[in-house]
Amino acid sequence: MMGRIGLAIALLAGSAGAVAAQQSEVLFSHKHWQVEIVGWDDGSLGCVAEVSAPGESFSIWTFPDESVQLQFYSTAWAFDDGTTADLEVQIDRRAPWNLTNAELYQNSVLFTLPDDSSGVNFIVEVAQGNRLFLRADDGSDVQNYSLSGSRASIDALIECGEVLSGKSANPFK
């Protein structure tokens, strides 16, 4: 799959700025998940793994600088730009995660994972989990998402992110 990702990156980078503000190519689909490489008109690229239902989605984004961002989206939400909220995420019956100062933007909640072991641990829980619950900071339910198929999709997302950042899982390259 590494070669396919590299080709997709080359094609998106070569056509960035052409017509659309955003272009994408599906790299992997499994159960409710889809992994894509996305290119914007400014030439920037990102990889995204997303599980969605009509009007709702949970996405994990990776970028060339190795940052990882969570995005929760709903057509039912309409946030004022520049606002934040403290939220809670729980995967299955594990201990909840606190998303302090998550950015609220239009129909999305955005949160950048810390670049340390806790960020890695969160991704591992997603890959191993069955259901993710998004809650307000008081613990009240907001939304929940199926994680069925997340293990294979997270693997594809990591591989895409390694290609974007110039790192390769293959030590012989």
Side-chain angles (χ1 to χ4, degrees), residues 100-167:
T100 306
N101 290 321
E103 179 185 353
L104 307 179
Y105 178 75
Q106 296 179 2
N107 302 91
S108 295
V109 173
L110 305 168
F111 184 79
T112 301
L113 288 177
D115 186 21
D116 60 19
S117 62
S118 65
V120 171
N121 292 342
F122 180 86
I123 297 297
V124 168
E125 278 193 26
V126 169
Q128 295 174 345
N130 295 308
R131 185 147 302 272
L132 182 146
F133 300 92
L134 176 65
R135 298 189 173 113
D137 65 344
D138 67 1
S140 60
D141 287 330
V142 174
Q143 187 55 270
N144 66 81
Y145 308 88
S146 169
L147 297 179
S148 178
S150 59
R151 179 180 301 272
S153 299
I154 296 296
D155 288 346
L157 177 68
I158 290 169
E159 189 172 334
C160 182
E162 287 174 345
V163 171
L164 273 187
S165 68
K167 293 183 175 182

Side-chain angles (χ1 to χ4, degrees), residues 41-105:
D41 61 356
D42 66 358
S44 60
L45 297 168
C47 300
V48 62
E50 180 176 83
V51 61
S52 62
E56 311 286 333
S57 65
F58 164 58
S59 307
I60 303 172
W61 289 85
T62 62
F63 300 99
D65 65 359
E66 299 182 21
S67 63
V68 178
Q69 187 176 59
L70 306 179
Q71 179 182 16
F72 301 91
Y73 172 87
S74 176
T75 56
W77 302 336
F79 301 119
D80 294 329
D81 295 352
T83 57
T84 62
D86 294 338
L87 307 171
E88 183 179 282
V89 170
Q90 185 173 11
I91 299 164
D92 299 331
R93 294 180 184 258
R94 295 180 175 105
W97 294 84
N98 295 313
L99 306 185
T100 306
N101 290 321
E103 179 185 353
L104 307 179
Y105 178 75

